[in-house]
Amino acid sequence: MTHYKSEQEFLSSYSIHDFDVPLVSVDMSIFSIIDDELQVLLVKRADYPEKGKWALPGGFIDLKQDSTLDDTAQRKLRDKTGVDTPYLEQVGTVGAMNRDPRGWSVTVAYMALIAADSVVLSKDSSSEDVKWVPVFQLAKLDKLAFDHNQIFEMCHERLKSKVQYTSLPVNLLSEEFTLTELQSTFEIILDTSVEKKSFRRRVLDADILEETGNMKTGSNRPAKLYRAKEQGKDHLFPRSIEGPR
Amino acid sequence: MTHYKSEQEFLSSYSIHDFDVPLVSVDMSIFSIIDDELQVLLVKRADYPEKGKWALPGGFIDLKQDSTLDDTAQRKLRDKTGVDTPYLEQVGTVGAMNRDPRGWSVTVAYMALIAADSVVLSKDSSSEDVKWVPVFQLAKLDKLAFDHNQIFEMCHERLKSKVQYTSLPVNLLSEEFTLTELQSTFEIILDTSVEKKSFRRRVLDADILEETGNMKTGSNRPAKLYRAKEQGKDHLFPRSIEGPR
DNA sequence: TCAATAGTGTCTTTCAGACACTATAAA
DNA sequence: TTTATAGTGTCTGAAAGACACTATTGA
């Protein structure tokens, strides 16, 4: 890909306006729990437009390579993180005349949940840098490229809302985990405390976990290790987690 | 728009493949309750591809006229039904190499809920006929154009699922309605009976309705008429409607 | 034995289902 | 007075919160 000297130069050579078709891309919020915080993966843009700004990873559909939209998302995720079989969910689509200087553009937002320990970060040609950013810092610090702050917010809202009534967070943990670790990821995402007994009743009664037979030891009572019965699926609870009264 | 003699002729003149950009369209499931049944609006395609087949109303983004995707959906809805301020929700986006013979194509699915009495059906140039079809008949009878059966199913699932824990169905009724009428629309969509007392408690406690002061009379005890406090919004209940035990 | 975390017993609270009951209109 | 529908009283049951309790390890 050619590198242009200025956004001006870049735009003047861009001719998508000539065809009555919008641009289409995929952008994703890749979430993970790192250092007991919910973090999201950002890339620094290597090209115009918005060169040098931090952005959600994403890009255009490869009409030859991708046979579905989900393939595009999967490919983008693999390129940045090396992770291949994550939890991947389409969140929504934003399209507008003026969200991209190249013209009418549509982007399909995805969110991915991955276990931090399974990741090997890597840059590709479209990004000069990659980093994890704690979600609570994002609102204050970074003004992302395009409307990515808004797209990220959609994904974050979806995540928080689904955590209230599904077992989604199992996808943020490595294969084996304790109930306390699982509870902790719920608490981190919901940013509230969850009552231990209710939590265990809820999760165990749902019959979505199975004991691995292993224990996690430390300088205290060992904890049973569990694994999700159906990888990648999320159970729907009949009622929401309500939090403290 | 030119009318072609065959799909072959049409396709050979189509050149979107030359640009590495997919087609983008909006398709919508417009729901209404008519004759005590949940029905969806279909149009008969006037042009290739899939000429003559029934399809969900939709079409391409008008890059000049529409400034957002929601505008496109709103415009399509207005064209077919004359309705201007409905409940409109984006359901999801499907994109694939082979879902449209013209090439890689992406469609954003919307669902709209409207009160039947507010509709004036009208055809536009892209459709030669328009009709309401009961949802339960659709599965059996019609093989729709493209992957519209699948897109419709996405919308129908979303509708049924949201009805379980939100007040969405108020958007299917005209401005004033009785609690019994509201209960009935829940029952029609969920295809199950709902217990009267629980239903009224739930709805009334949620404080989302207000009495209009009017009564609906008949040859029996008159019923209070209500109106949604916030038009177009849907309340989230803490628990789902569970249906009979 | 103590500190620390895992895991349980059990009471209360909230809200949905069941179902019998009362209320109010027209014919 | 009957019929039809609107609307209520109140019991039961399921699942969440509160919180004190016991259990099991290493140091």
Side-chain angles (χ1 to χ4, degrees), chain A residues 66-67 69 90 93 95 97 104, chain B residues 66-67 69 90 93 95 97 104:
Chain A
D66 306 328
S67 68
L69 260 186
Q90 192 192 286
T93 299
M97 201 177 258
W104 229 107
Chain B
D66 306 328
S67 69
L69 260 185
Q90 192 191 287
T93 299
M97 199 178 260
W104 230 106

Side-chain angles (χ1 to χ4, degrees), chain A:
Chain A
M1 188 175 187
T2 328
H3 285 252
Y4 298 90
K5 290 209 196 71
S6 71
E7 180 151 7
Q8 223 61 33
E9 186 188 336
F10 169 78
L11 283 174
S12 65
S13 79
Y14 209 92
S15 52
I16 185 77
H17 286 294
D18 300 345
F19 329 119
D20 253 12
V21 171
L23 286 166
V24 184
S25 57
V26 165
D27 289 309
M28 46 193 334
S29 299
I30 304 172
F31 291 106
S32 194
I33 305 263
I34 300 170
D35 300 335
D36 291 322
E37 285 191 90
L38 181 66
Q39 310 215 18
V40 64
L41 193 72
L42 297 183
V43 300
K44 195 178 223 169
R45 290 182 57 81
D47 292 299
Y48 294 108
E50 305 274 27
K51 180 171 175 174
K53 281 202 182 167
W54 290 97
L56 297 175
F60 296 110
I61 300 168
D62 182 327
L63 301 198
K64 306 273 181 285
Q65 234 182 295
D66 306 328
S67 68
T68 68
L69 260 186
D70 286 6
D71 287 349
T72 309
Q74 195 88 32
R75 180 170 55 82
K76 290 289 161 195
L77 178 67
R78 198 171 40 238
D79 287 354
K80 301 292 178 195
T81 66
V83 173
D84 216 5
T85 55
Y87 180 87
L88 193 62
E89 173 176 334
Q90 192 192 286
V91 174
T93 299
V94 179
M97 201 177 258
N98 55 10
R99 56 174 297 280
D100 186 308
R102 285 166 289 188
W104 229 107
S105 105
V106 171
T107 195
V108 185
Y110 279 81
M111 74 175 181
L113 307 186
I114 61 183
D117 57 15
S118 61
V119 177
V120 187
L121 288 190
S122 69
K123 301 176 257 182
D124 60 15
S125 62
S126 70
S127 50
E128 61 182 33
D129 206 355
V130 187
K131 69 172 175 183
W132 289 105
V133 180
V135 157
F136 82 95
Q137 279 183 19
L138 195 57
K140 312 174 199 166
L141 298 180
D142 302 77
K143 164 70 183 83
L144 301 180
F146 308 112
D147 52 2
H148 284 196
N149 282 291
Q150 183 194 321
I151 290 172
F152 164 76
E153 219 39 70
M154 278 172 49
C155 295
H156 189 205
E157 285 305 317
R158 170 74 64 91
L159 174 61
K160 282 192 290 185
S161 129
K162 286 196 80 166
V163 167
Q164 292 182 292
Y165 55 88
T166 73
S167 60
L168 226 171
V170 295
N171 299 293
L172 286 164
L173 294 167
S174 48
E175 205 215 326
E176 288 194 327
F177 50 84
T178 68
L179 289 183
T180 304
E181 287 165 352
L182 183 57
Q183 179 178 339
S184 166
T185 82
F186 274 85
E187 292 176 328
I188 288 168
I189 298 171
L190 293 176
D191 194 29
T192 181
S193 64
V194 171
E195 210 286 323
K196 182 165 58 164
K197 186 61 198 289
S198 336
F199 181 79
R200 284 161 179 260
R201 230 182 354 217
R202 183 180 164 97
V203 170
L204 260 13
D205 289 357
D207 195 38
I208 53 178
L209 302 183
E210 58 190 8
E211 300 181 15
T212 65
N214 304 324
M215 304 290 275
K216 181 186 182 187
T217 56
S219 67
N220 47 35
R221 176 172 173 176
K224 282 185 181 168
L225 284 163
Y226 293 83
R227 131 182 69 230
K229 273 189 175 172
E230 294 182 284
Q231 191 74 5
K233 292 200 69 175
D234 48 330
H235 172 80
L236 257 117
F237 293 100
R239 290 169 61 175
S240 287
I241 287 185
E242 291 167 30
R245 274 172 181 158

Side-chain angles (χ1 to χ4, degrees), chain B residues 9-136:
Chain B
E9 187 188 335
F10 168 77
L11 283 174
S12 66
S13 80
Y14 210 89
S15 52
I16 186 79
H17 287 293
D18 299 347
F19 329 118
D20 254 13
V21 172
L23 285 166
V24 184
S25 57
V26 165
D27 288 308
M28 47 192 337
S29 298
I30 304 171
F31 291 106
S32 194
I33 304 262
I34 300 171
D35 300 334
D36 291 324
E37 284 191 273
L38 181 66
Q39 311 215 18
V40 64
L41 194 72
L42 296 182
V43 299
K44 194 177 226 170
R45 289 182 58 81
D47 291 299
Y48 294 109
E50 304 274 29
K51 180 171 175 174
K53 280 202 183 166
W54 290 97
L56 297 175
F60 295 110
I61 300 168
D62 183 327
L63 301 198
K64 305 273 180 286
Q65 233 181 298
D66 306 328
S67 69
T68 68
L69 260 185
D70 286 6
D71 287 349
T72 310
Q74 195 89 33
R75 181 170 55 81
K76 289 290 161 192
L77 178 67
R78 199 172 39 239
D79 287 354
K80 302 292 179 196
T81 65
V83 173
D84 216 6
T85 54
Y87 180 89
L88 193 62
E89 173 175 334
Q90 192 191 287
V91 174
T93 299
V94 179
M97 199 178 260
N98 55 10
R99 56 174 298 277
D100 186 307
R102 285 164 289 190
W104 230 106
S105 103
V106 170
T107 196
V108 185
Y110 279 80
M111 75 175 180
L113 307 185
I114 60 183
D117 58 16
S118 60
V119 178
V120 187
L121 288 190
S122 68
K123 299 175 260 183
D124 60 15
S125 61
S126 69
S127 50
E128 60 182 33
D129 207 356
V130 188
K131 70 172 174 183
W132 289 104
V133 179
V135 157
F136 82 95

